Amino acid sequence: CGSSVSHSRGTYLNTAAVTSRVGVARLLQAAFGCTTFSLVAHRGGFSAAYGTFCMSVWCFCFAVTLFIITCEVTHLHSCLSISWGNFTAAFAMLATLMSVTAAVIYPLYVQFGCTSSGCEVRDFRIAASVFAGLLFFAYAAEVFLSRAKPGQVSSYMATASGLLKIVQAFVACIIFGALVNGSQYQRHAATQWCVAVYSFCFAVTVVVVALSITGRTSTLRCPLERFVVIYTFVAVLMYTSAAVIWPVFFFDRKYGSPHRPHQCSRASCPWDSQMVVAVFTCVNLVLYIADLVYSQRVRFVSHP
C-alpha cells in the first residue's frame, strides 16, 4: 500500500482469488450463508436463544467471508498488519465449527409441522436447514484444501496443531456455557480447580492464536514451536487432573449422584450441565494429547 506509482503489467484485481479451489469454496460459503439467513429471516422464523445464536453465526460467517473475498480480490490484505494466512486458516476452522453447530441446533428446535394457513413456513425451514448443512460442508472444504500438507512449510494456523487450537478453544466455550448453566461447581474446592484449568488453558490457547494471527510470535521469549510443545504438555497434565476430579466430585455416590435425579426437570437440571462438562473435558483432553503429538513436528512461517 505504498503511495508511489509504478507502471506494471500486472492487474489490480486478483481473479485467482475466486477461480481457485479455495476461492470457489469461499464463493459457495457466501452464497449458502446469505441464502440460509435470508430464508430464516423471510419465513423460516427463529426465536429464543438458540434462534438468535444460529442467526448470529450465519450473519457473522457471511460478513467475514465477504470481507476475506474482497481483500483477496483487491489485494487489500497486503495493507493489513496481520498474518493473512493464519487469519484465514483460523477463521475457516472456527466457521466450520460454528456452522455445524448451527446446522444441528436449528432443525432440532424449530417445528416442521404444517399450520392451518399451509405448509409454506415448513418448506422455508426445510430449505434453511438444507442450506445450513451445505454451508458447513463449504467451510469444511476450505479447511481441507488450505490445510498444511505433510512436510510443507506453512502458516502455523494451517497446521494440524493450529487447527486443533481453534477446536480446543471452541470446546472450552461449550464447557464454560455448561458451567454457568447451574453446574454448581462452587460446591467443592476441587471442582473450582477444574474451572481454573479450563480458564487457564483457554486463555493461553487464545493468546497463541492471537499472536499467530497478528504475526507477533517474536514477542515470545522462546520460539513458538517450543512454547506450544511446553504449554500443550502442561495442558495435558492439567486436563488429566480435571478429567479425574470432576466426575469424582459430581458422579461418585459420596459427593454426588451417578444417575440423573428424578426430581430434576427436563428443561433445567444441574446434573445435565455437570455431565456436559465431564464429557467435553475428556474431549478436550484427547484434543490436547493429539496437539502434543503434532506440535512437535510443526514448521511455520510468521508472515506468509
Side-chain angles (χ1 to χ4, degrees):
C1 284
S3 58
S4 60
V5 177
S6 62
H7 296 282
S8 173
R9 295 184 179 181
T11 59
Y12 288 104
L13 298 181
N14 177 24
T15 56
V18 292
T19 57
S20 64
R21 291 187 296 174
V22 173
V24 171
R26 288 171 179 163
L27 289 177
L28 292 175
Q29 294 162 11
F32 293 153
C34 182
T35 303
T36 302
F37 70 71
S38 297
L39 288 169
V40 174
H42 181 57
R43 292 298 301 274
F46 66 96
S47 61
Y50 75 88
T52 303
F53 168 78
C54 293
M55 282 295 286
S56 300
V57 165
W58 295 325
C59 293
F60 168 76
C61 292
F62 172 76
V64 178
T65 299
L66 201 60
F67 170 75
I68 290 175
I69 293 174
T70 302
C71 289
E72 289 277 359
V73 172
T74 62
H75 298 284
L76 183 62
H77 61 85
S78 60
C79 303
L80 304 176
S81 57
I82 62 174
S83 176
W84 186 251
N86 282 315
F87 170 73
T88 55
F91 169 72
M93 188 71 249
L94 177 62
T96 300
L97 296 171
M98 295 176 68
S99 60
V100 71
T101 304
V104 171
I105 289 177
Y106 183 76
L108 282 179
Y109 285 91
V110 297
Q111 300 295 325
F112 288 97
C114 297
T115 62
S116 57
S117 59
C119 298
E120 186 178 2
V121 173
R122 182 204 63 180
D123 296 339
F124 270 88
R125 289 175 176 175
I126 292 176
S129 301
V130 171
F131 277 99
L134 293 174
L135 179 64
F136 156 67
F137 284 112
Y139 280 114
E142 181 181 349
V143 173
F144 177 78
L145 292 172
S146 59
R147 77 193 192 286
K149 308 303 186 294
Q152 175 185 356
V153 177
S154 180
S155 305
Y156 173 69
M157 295 309 303
T159 64
S161 179
L163 295 174
L164 283 171
K165 289 288 185 295
I166 303 297
V167 184
Q168 292 159 7
F170 187 81
V171 171
C173 289
I174 297 176
I175 293 175
F176 292 140
L179 286 172
V180 300
N181 190 28
S183 65
Q184 301 177 347
Y185 68 87
Q186 306 95 333
R187 288 168 50 185
H188 310 285
T191 53
Q192 293 179 26
W193 156 257
C194 295
V195 176
V197 168
Y198 307 141
S199 302
F200 170 78
C201 294
F202 174 77
V204 178
T205 297
V206 170
V207 168
V208 170
V209 173
L211 289 177
S212 299
I213 291 176
T214 57
R216 304 299 178 92
T217 56
S218 58
T219 59
L220 296 173
R221 297 286 184 177
C222 62
L224 180 63
E225 303 100 315
R226 183 177 301 176
F227 175 82
V228 167
V229 171
I230 295 173
Y231 153 64
T232 308
F233 177 71
V234 173
V236 167
L237 296 179
M238 296 179 72
Y239 257 92
T240 300
S241 68
V244 173
I245 291 173
W246 187 272
V248 168
F249 278 86
F250 280 119
F251 305 121
D252 186 85
R253 295 185 184 276
K254 182 178 179 180
Y255 302 101
S257 173
H259 306 291
R260 193 178 192 274
H262 297 291
Q263 65 272 19
C264 267
S265 65
R266 185 175 181 180
S268 177
C269 182
W271 193 90
D272 294 340
S273 297
Q274 294 158 10
M275 178 58 69
V276 169
V277 173
V279 170
F280 282 97
T281 296
C282 295
V283 171
N284 239 1
L285 174 59
V286 173
L287 291 172
Y288 275 106
I289 292 174
D291 191 2
L292 182 62
V293 174
Y294 282 112
S295 61
Q296 298 183 67
R297 300 180 295 177
V298 169
R299 294 294 181 271
F300 74 101
V301 291
S302 300
H303 301 283

